[in-house]
Amino acid sequence: MTESNASSPELAEGDIVELTVGEVAHGGIFVARHSSGRVVFVSDALPGERVRAQVTEIKKRHARAETLQVLEASPERLEHVWAEADVSRDPAERPGGAEFGHTSVAFGRELKRRVLADALSRFGGVEPDFEVVGLGDDDATRGCGWRTRVTLHVDEAGRVGPFAARSHDVVRVGSLPLAYADIDELAQQIIAKGHRGPGRIDFVAPADSEVRMRARVKGTSTRKPELLTERVGEREFTVSEDGFWQVHRLAAATLYEAVREAIDPEHFDAEAQHYDLFGGVGLLAAAVAELAGADARVESVEAAAVATELALRNLSEWSGATAKTGRVDRYLQGVLEGGADALAASRAGTVVLDPPRSGARADVIEPLVVLGPQQIIYVACDPVALGRDTGLLRERGYELTRLRSYDLFPNTHHVEAVATFLRA
């Protein structure tokens, strides 16, 4: 381990350097430039700070480093919301999952806005005016207590805890501040006792009853996953315990309303064929169906068969609602090969596109734009993926007409956006 200075021609892993921190980058890291000219992505910092950091990785065009000490702090820096993740702790012992926990939730939203705006400008060629909206009382609680689903890991020695940031090493913690309080209480009991491993322990706090815990040791679960009931307003959704559901206690309701509001009424034909692609258990398909009315024709498409079965149950009040299991790109190709009447109904419809973090990509975008729906409501959980897909859609005749963004993951770098694209 060596101290690097202005005379150092290059960096090496393990070097300790002083850096002046610039803007935020995607992934909860910040951009700095070493005196050698190399760009360094540094974690646990804030724009404008001067820090001592240790180089952890050298790439061809950049390096990565972890903050060891803050020499000149930003006025936005606060005591970390998660004591074990504070910069005063050895980086190898800091748990991951709270990359912006050393600032206010409000400034965390501003950092996310900058990342999303940069991605849309750089990859999508658009510069919409928007802000990232907080949920409920997250500002008052400093973004604590919102996670209704938490996974802890168990190592060979039986130690239970989260992974350290940017590693798969289990670290022991005395609190889980982002977790729903009942999850934190139960998890601390398990952490104190330890558990047979290696494996993982999943905690869920559903709307219908008390917290569930389910361990998976060496690939074998202690029990079968249960079916849970989640609620969005007065509407109930059946969800598998190990299936996908939004993590923030207010996220599902927020996205349900966000999709309804994102649909342009002037381009919405209630009698058309609508689609919810990557539809999960039918949450957003229900939002579209509710707008279309009792005879809504909405089809949810999802690769997971269990989720498809639950989507059929959750959409059963609409006689024209269906759910199919399959890869979205292949499904769209099948639609394109259908008859003229089916294609006409789809072309008049609205598509909700809620892809995984990697985005929809050309494999899905290409057949989707050939299908040519009136509007595409894109629900994005990754800024760069949304930026790239925005570029693809604009090149193929769709324009971004509306964007809203929501802080569904306080104290982390993750951000959600709901974008409306209309056929030009």
Side-chain angles (χ1 to χ4, degrees):
M1 184 183 304
T2 60
E3 294 276 352
S4 176
N5 54 47
S7 62
S8 300
E10 263 303 341
L11 290 174
E13 289 186 14
D15 281 354
I16 296 177
V17 295
E18 289 190 9
L19 299 169
T20 298
V21 181
E23 264 302 344
V24 65
H26 181 47
I29 53 179
F30 298 83
V31 182
R33 189 174 292 276
H34 183 248
S35 56
S36 65
R38 183 182 287 270
V39 170
V40 181
F41 294 116
V42 58
S43 61
D44 300 320
L46 288 173
E49 291 189 327
R50 187 156 183 81
V51 302
R52 290 179 72 245
Q54 185 168 20
V55 178
T56 58
E57 187 178 17
I58 300 291
K59 295 287 190 178
K60 184 176 181 180
R61 296 185 178 179
H62 67 268
R64 293 185 181 273
E66 296 174 330
T67 298
L68 301 177
Q69 181 184 5
V70 180
L71 304 175
E72 297 177 16
S74 163
E76 300 291 350
R77 180 174 282 273
L78 300 175
E79 181 179 355
H80 205 292
V81 73
W82 195 355
E84 288 89 347
D86 188 74
V87 71
S88 62
R89 197 177 193 191
D90 184 335
E93 292 294 319
R94 297 175 199 164
E99 304 88 4
F100 291 163
H102 54 296
T103 189
S104 67
V105 176
F107 190 63
R109 291 197 296 270
E110 169 58 19
L111 295 174
K112 299 177 192 194
R113 187 199 65 78
R114 295 177 190 179
V115 171
L116 180 52
D118 177 70
L120 287 167
S121 175
R122 186 182 308 182
F123 302 111
V126 293
E127 297 184 357
D129 183 22
F130 69 97
E131 63 179 17
V132 179
V133 178
L135 274 56
D137 61 356
D138 283 344
D139 281 305
T141 65
R142 275 203 69 193
C144 293
W146 56 268
R147 289 195 68 104
T148 61
R149 284 156 171 74
V150 171
T151 293
L152 297 181
H153 301 275
V154 188
D155 63 16
E156 292 279 359
R159 182 166 60 172
V160 179
F163 282 148
R166 297 167 294 280
S167 89
H168 288 88
D169 295 331
V170 174
V171 294
R172 195 183 299 275
V173 296
S175 67
L176 297 168
L178 306 193
Y180 188 74
D182 289 355
I183 289 180
D184 189 15
E185 181 180 354
L186 178 58
Q188 292 308 321
Q189 298 174 21
I190 305 302
I191 289 172
K193 292 189 302 183
H195 199 281
R196 182 168 58 93
R200 56 185 278 182
I201 303 175
D202 297 323
F203 300 86
V204 181
D208 61 348
S209 63
E210 63 185 18
V211 171
R212 271 89 157 169
M213 183 196 83
R214 183 164 165 259
R216 307 185 208 188
V217 179
K218 296 182 179 179
T220 302
S221 176
T222 52
R223 59 176 174 79
K224 292 182 178 180
E226 299 178 32
L227 292 181
L228 311 177
T229 299
E230 297 288 3
R231 295 188 180 89
V232 174
E234 296 181 357
R235 189 174 296 284
E236 293 186 346
F237 292 85
T238 303
V239 184
S240 175
E241 184 179 0
D242 63 351
F244 176 79
W245 185 254
Q246 292 292 334
V247 174
H248 193 295
R249 56 195 168 84
L250 300 178
T254 297
L255 289 180
Y256 190 90
E257 289 304 317
V259 165
R260 284 169 52 89
E261 293 170 1
I263 294 174
D264 187 326
E266 294 185 5
H267 294 80
F268 185 71
D269 181 350
E271 297 180 358
Q273 175 65 59
H274 310 293
Y275 298 96
D276 179 13
L277 305 180
F278 305 98
V281 297
L283 171 69
L284 303 183
V288 178
E290 196 170 270
L291 278 181
D295 297 325
R297 296 169 60 192
V298 181
E299 185 146 275
S300 173
V301 184
E302 168 61 48
V306 172
T308 302
E309 293 173 8
L310 295 177
L312 285 170
R313 178 187 301 194
N314 295 328
L315 299 171
S316 60
E317 70 179 84
W318 294 282
S319 60
T322 52
K324 296 290 179 64
T325 301
R327 273 179 41 173
V328 169
D329 56 343
R330 293 176 181 172
Y331 172 84
L332 289 172
Q333 292 291 348
V335 174
L336 293 175
E337 295 168 4
D341 290 345
L343 287 174
S346 298
R347 188 171 177 80
T350 290
V351 169
V352 176
L353 185 61
D354 185 11
R357 199 168 302 282
S358 57
R361 303 189 178 221
D363 288 350
V364 170
I365 297 293
E366 294 284 2
L368 180 57
V369 298
V370 173
L371 183 65
Q374 285 289 312
Q375 57 187 318
I376 299 169
I377 311 302
Y378 192 128
V379 181
C381 60
D382 185 273
V384 171
L386 176 59
R388 288 173 176 159
D389 286 344
T390 295
L392 290 174
L393 285 165
R394 294 186 68 231
E395 289 170 1
R396 290 156 178 79
Y398 281 83
E399 283 297 334
L400 176 67
T401 60
R402 185 182 188 274
L403 178 74
R404 299 293 185 271
S405 184
Y406 305 91
D407 191 9
L408 306 190
F409 313 93
N411 290 309
T412 80
H413 74 274
H414 298 292
V415 64
E416 200 86 3
V418 179
T420 301
F421 293 88
L422 295 180
R423 195 172 61 205

